[in-house]
Amino acid sequence: MTQGARVTTRPGVPPREAATHCPYCALQCGMVLRENGRRVEVLPRQFPTNRGGLCQKGWTAAELLDHPDRLTTPLVRDRRGGELRPASWDEALDRVATGIRAVQDRYGRDAVAVFGGGGLTNEKAYALGKFARVALRTRHIDYNGRWCMSSAAAAGLRAFGVDRGLPFPLADLGRAETLLLVGANPAETMPPLLRHLADQRARGGRLIVVDPRLTATARQADLHLQPLPGTDLAVANALLHVALSEGWVDRAYVAERTSGFDEVRRTVAGYWPAEVERLSGVPVADLEATARALATVDRAIILTARGAEQHAKGVDTVTAFVNLALALGLPGRPGSGYGCLTGQGNGQGGREHGQKADQLPGYRRIDDPAAREHVARVWGVPAEDLPGPGVPAYALLDSLGTATGPRALLVFGSNPVVSAPRAARVESRLRDLDLLVVADFLRSETAELADVVLPVAQWAEEDGTMTNLEGRVLRRRALREPPPGVRTDLAVLAALAARLEEGAAGGSAGGGGFPADPRTVFEELRRASAGGPADYAGVTWERVERDEGVFWPCPDPDGPDTPRLFAGSFPTPDGRARFHAVTHRPAAEEVSAEYPLHFTTGRVLAQYQSGAQTRRVDALRRAAPNGFVELHPDLAGRLGVAEGDEVRVVSRRGELRAPARVSPAIRPDTVFAPFHWPGAARANSVTNDAVDPVSGMPEFKICAVRVERA
């Protein structure tokens, strides 16, 4: 099976091929692109993650390369309220540089902010973080990956001393006798992963899914636990309660490899299954069966995803499942452990090299003096010139255009007008800016608000590396050059840094330089990450190509990489994993007489993230043409709503309108909507902007609403 997009090739030029990876999710499926006459074909490629399989999004990815909506010239807006018009690169870049200097001269360096994306290559993520801290010297940079797995990252750091989505190869899933998926729906979000689940089932393994909806993944499970949204933490504590009561805790592992268990043991003693059934709706028998399935086998894996993590208590919820995994002695054993299913294509690498507000390359903390000194030496700037930590993504966006917040924002690889919580408020903040610059290859909803739009290359037009959900560094290979008039993100950053340096007073704004060549950037990234938790010093492009990827940490080019972590010890000061006692607490916003229903969001098979790309692909648009609101038949009956009727979902922050989809797959007290659509169907007009105090993760997965016929 192949899919293609029309391209223009020169007569007499032989067809070209590139072995690369899908531009979408963190599975980073291998694929081959072939330019064949006037088409770019997507061909299967045997790679360990997907073993030749692709989902519909992957098969159709090349259709965007020459889409009619493709941007091929910069756009500028002459005045507030005016239309975007074509401009030369010189005019657009001069406008950006002049605007940055004017804002910083008036309001200070932190008045300019940068917002990145989890789909950017490692090279671009690294360069963006460096650009913010060296060229702009602002502390304000964060990225949309903050909304992906920041809660799991924080929980992993405090328990294990390191954050890597899967601390074991993906193939381990097929070896697990019991696999527990919490808030994960890979049948729709990353379908080729199901090949590994099929391996697990073929070996007689059990699949248990925890999800408020009977999703496509839950339908394949041996057992489906359907809790009230926001009660996963209580469920995890109840599972550990059962394991303790039945004597299933691996006490030797706990004693030899962990610390802090006594406090956790005392805490979960109060989570009686009957009480948790009352709270969550999960029957006692199902809680006991799940604990037994995990604890009485040799190999078990617990995986969490956005359903468990996108809460104002997401870090504690993940911690509860990590506690369960540690108590059962799972981490560090082949075919066992805890892991997180990363969402975005480079959600892992994107946060390792400087896009997060509190991090420097190599997953170093920006407030660590030794880390600052190391990175500053690589960048050729004084350590004291590096700014301190900024604020997480939502806090950054919510402060835009205010008296104390940034007055200018540069956006690379993100569409917060659709993807941010409380999206109408974020849209208003963007409109209040003195300068909004968006680098994209399509006119996203965010680009439509920009003062300057810079057309940049797509994934098939640039080289680089990505780091997938396993921590495997992969090579993205270009099939062809970008179209005339289009530049790469690295070239844009290089040009802006040069202009800012020319206009800087009292020293260089460009600092250590901003090369546009991705390989040169990667070599610098290797040096900057050396010695950090995410050490890429031993990763080379040649080694990645030869070995089908390299797992970090890999400090030595001639030494081994690390497919599986925690085999002998944990990267903590004493080598032990740490338990942390956590307790259930209600959602940030509880139901009331005015807002009596729970609202939750998620994805559908044919669309991806904010939909700016996938909504433009004909086959995907036909498969999922519009948003919808999923209602249980009992609720639909009480409301007098039939299939296809337009309904309003109203929260304290806004509303969405979309056709009703009546289905017994959802709980009667809960409604669901996918978040891929803008306008009236924008699910994030409704969602709550309450955030986790540790990770900064917004509470996308639950808020209080009412539903009525439109």
Side-chain angles (χ1 to χ4, degrees):
M1 178 182 182
T2 64
Q3 301 285 337
R6 296 187 65 83
V7 299
T8 301
T9 59
R10 297 190 300 271
V13 175
R16 290 171 290 183
E17 285 192 359
T20 189
H21 294 270
C22 179
Y24 293 117
C25 81
L27 200 57
Q28 283 298 283
C29 296
M31 60 166 56
V32 172
L33 296 179
R34 177 187 295 164
E35 189 177 271
N36 187 7
R38 293 184 59 82
R39 297 184 68 80
V40 173
E41 298 175 301
V42 175
L43 304 174
R45 177 185 172 201
Q46 288 298 323
F47 195 79
T49 53
N50 61 308
R51 302 191 313 218
L54 292 169
C55 72
Q56 191 178 18
K57 294 186 290 290
W59 287 120
T60 59
E63 294 189 19
L64 288 168
L65 294 175
D66 289 279
H67 195 280
D69 291 349
R70 181 77 190 270
L71 292 172
T72 57
T73 187
L75 305 173
V76 299
R77 197 185 307 274
D78 292 321
R79 63 186 185 282
R80 186 56 55 89
E83 296 295 319
L84 287 167
R85 62 167 176 82
S88 69
W89 271 100
D90 280 340
E91 180 186 2
L93 292 171
D94 286 345
R95 172 81 175 273
V96 176
T98 300
I100 289 172
R101 285 196 293 268
V103 166
Q104 290 190 322
D105 287 347
R106 182 174 181 182
Y107 299 104
R109 293 193 180 277
D110 289 339
V112 177
V114 178
F115 196 77
L120 301 178
T121 63
N122 288 318
E123 293 79 7
K124 291 191 286 187
Y126 170 83
L128 199 62
K130 179 182 176 183
F131 179 83
R133 282 140 182 155
V134 175
L136 298 176
R137 292 179 63 183
T138 178
R139 69 187 181 96
H140 285 309
I141 177 172
D142 214 77
Y143 82 131
N144 63 15
R146 177 74 65 173
W147 303 330
C148 177
M149 56 173 292
S150 60
S151 289
L157 283 169
R158 73 183 187 182
F160 305 131
V162 70
D163 157 36
R164 200 176 87 184
L166 293 185
F168 47 75
L170 194 64
D172 271 22
L173 301 185
R175 304 174 61 185
E177 294 170 83
T178 299
L179 179 59
L180 178 66
L181 296 180
V182 185
N185 182 20
E188 294 193 77
T189 59
M190 47 181 64
L193 184 139
L194 267 63
R195 296 189 171 203
H196 299 278
L197 302 192
D199 289 347
Q200 192 241 1
R201 304 302 295 279
R203 293 187 172 102
R206 296 195 71 196
L207 174 64
I208 303 173
V209 172
V210 182
D211 200 298
R213 301 173 63 226
L214 182 61
T215 63
T217 306
R219 292 190 191 99
Q220 302 181 35
D222 297 283
L223 180 61
H224 174 212
L225 280 55
Q226 196 169 15
L228 181 73
T231 61
D232 295 325
L233 193 161
V235 169
N237 278 354
L239 295 175
L240 183 48
H241 177 107
V242 173
L244 277 162
S245 300
E246 297 295 331
W248 291 331
V249 169
D250 188 335
R251 296 193 177 275
Y253 181 100
V254 169
E256 295 167 8
R257 302 203 57 190
T258 73
S259 62
F261 181 64
D262 285 345
E263 185 180 358
V264 170
R265 177 177 52 78
R266 289 191 292 269
T267 298
V268 301
Y271 284 80
W272 293 92
E275 177 64 18
V276 173
E277 176 180 356
R278 183 194 63 78
L279 178 70
S280 68
V282 177
V284 170
D286 289 350
L287 293 169
E288 293 174 342
T290 300
R292 182 179 299 107
L294 289 168
T296 60
V297 297
D298 291 331
R299 297 181 305 279
I301 291 176
I302 299 171
L303 297 180
T304 64
R306 305 303 81 73
E309 299 156 14
Q310 287 181 326
H311 294 272
K313 56 178 181 294
V315 175
D316 285 353
T317 298
V318 175
T319 297
F321 284 101
V322 170
N323 287 341
L324 177 63
L326 288 171
L328 299 178
L330 305 181
R333 298 193 346 235
S336 291
Y338 163 79
C340 165
L341 292 178
T342 311
Q344 294 190 76
N346 203 30
Q348 182 72 55
R351 67 183 181 279
E352 293 168 1
H353 300 301
Q355 283 193 98
K356 283 181 77 174
D358 56 352
Q359 288 179 195
L360 290 171
Y363 221 125
R364 289 181 161 90
R365 292 189 58 85
I366 198 169
D367 57 2
D368 178 354
R372 293 170 63 85
E373 190 65 40
H374 172 87
V375 174
R377 281 198 303 271
V378 175
W379 288 351
V381 298
E384 58 270 22
D385 284 356
L386 296 180
V391 297
Y394 185 76
L396 173 60
L397 294 178
D398 193 43
S399 70
L400 296 175
T402 65
T404 58
R407 306 293 305 185
L409 179 69
L410 281 65
V411 179
F412 287 77
S414 188
N415 187 19
V417 167
V418 178
S419 62
R422 202 171 188 176
R425 183 185 181 103
V426 169
E427 181 176 344
S428 176
R429 291 285 186 257
L430 293 171
R431 293 181 185 277
D432 287 342
L433 288 167
D434 295 356
L435 176 68
L436 174 61
V437 181
V438 174
D440 210 328
F441 58 87
L442 297 164
R443 284 180 68 154
S444 69
E445 286 73 20
T446 304
E448 292 292 350
L449 305 182
D451 299 291
V452 181
V453 181
L454 304 174
V456 292
Q458 293 197 52
W459 100 108
E461 300 160 351
E462 57 184 354
D463 290 315
T465 61
M466 306 284 279
T467 305
N468 79 344
L469 77 173
E470 310 163 287
R472 186 196 302 253
V473 184
L474 309 167
R475 273 280 282 119
R476 177 176 284 181
R477 299 172 181 85
L479 174 72
R480 65 181 195 180
E481 294 292 322
V486 172
R487 299 187 183 184
T488 66
D489 294 272
L490 292 178
V492 169
L493 293 175
L496 284 176
R499 279 168 165 77
L500 292 172
E501 185 171 7
E502 291 169 2
S508 167
F514 292 87
D517 173 60
R519 187 163 192 152
T520 303
V521 175
F522 188 79
E523 291 303 307
E524 185 180 304
L525 180 158
R526 292 175 61 203
R527 298 194 302 274
S529 72
D535 192 333
Y536 281 39
V539 182
T540 65
W541 280 18
E542 292 83 4
R543 185 173 180 180
V544 169
E545 292 178 350
R546 183 188 71 223
D547 298 340
E548 292 188 316
V550 178
F551 293 85
W552 70 261
C554 182
D556 184 353
D558 299 317
D561 63 349
T562 316
R564 184 173 289 106
L565 299 173
F566 316 146
S569 65
F570 295 91
T572 58
D574 60 3
R576 291 171 173 261
R578 291 178 170 80
F579 283 94
H580 291 267
V582 291
T583 57
H584 170 77
R585 56 186 183 271
E589 180 178 81
E590 297 187 82
V591 295
S592 64
E594 186 177 2
Y595 302 100
L597 297 168
H598 304 282
F599 177 70
T600 192
T601 67
R603 284 171 49 184
V604 297
L605 175 62
Q607 300 292 344
Y608 181 73
Q609 302 299 85
S610 74
Q613 298 175 52
T614 50
R615 284 185 274 112
R616 287 175 163 89
V617 176
D618 289 341
L620 302 179
R621 189 170 59 248
R622 289 194 299 269
N626 51 256
F628 59 88
V629 176
E630 187 174 80
L631 311 171
H632 190 276
D634 291 349
L635 176 59
R638 293 200 305 272
L639 296 173
V641 170
E643 179 79 15
D645 286 351
E646 187 175 79
V647 297
R648 296 173 68 233
V649 179
V650 184
S651 76
R652 292 176 175 87
R653 290 154 298 282
E655 69 173 60
L656 75 90
R657 291 173 177 245
R661 181 173 295 182
V662 181
S663 170
I666 191 76
R667 291 172 54 104
D669 56 5
T670 303
V671 294
F672 165 86
F675 56 74
H676 311 291
W677 282 272
R682 183 172 61 184
N684 280 317
S685 295
V686 176
T687 50
N688 197 348
D689 56 349
V691 298
D692 185 290
V694 177
S695 67
M697 171 74 82
E699 190 149 83
F700 287 102
K701 291 302 183 189
I702 183 170
C703 68
V705 300
R706 68 173 183 267
V707 179
E708 55 198 37
R709 293 187 63 173

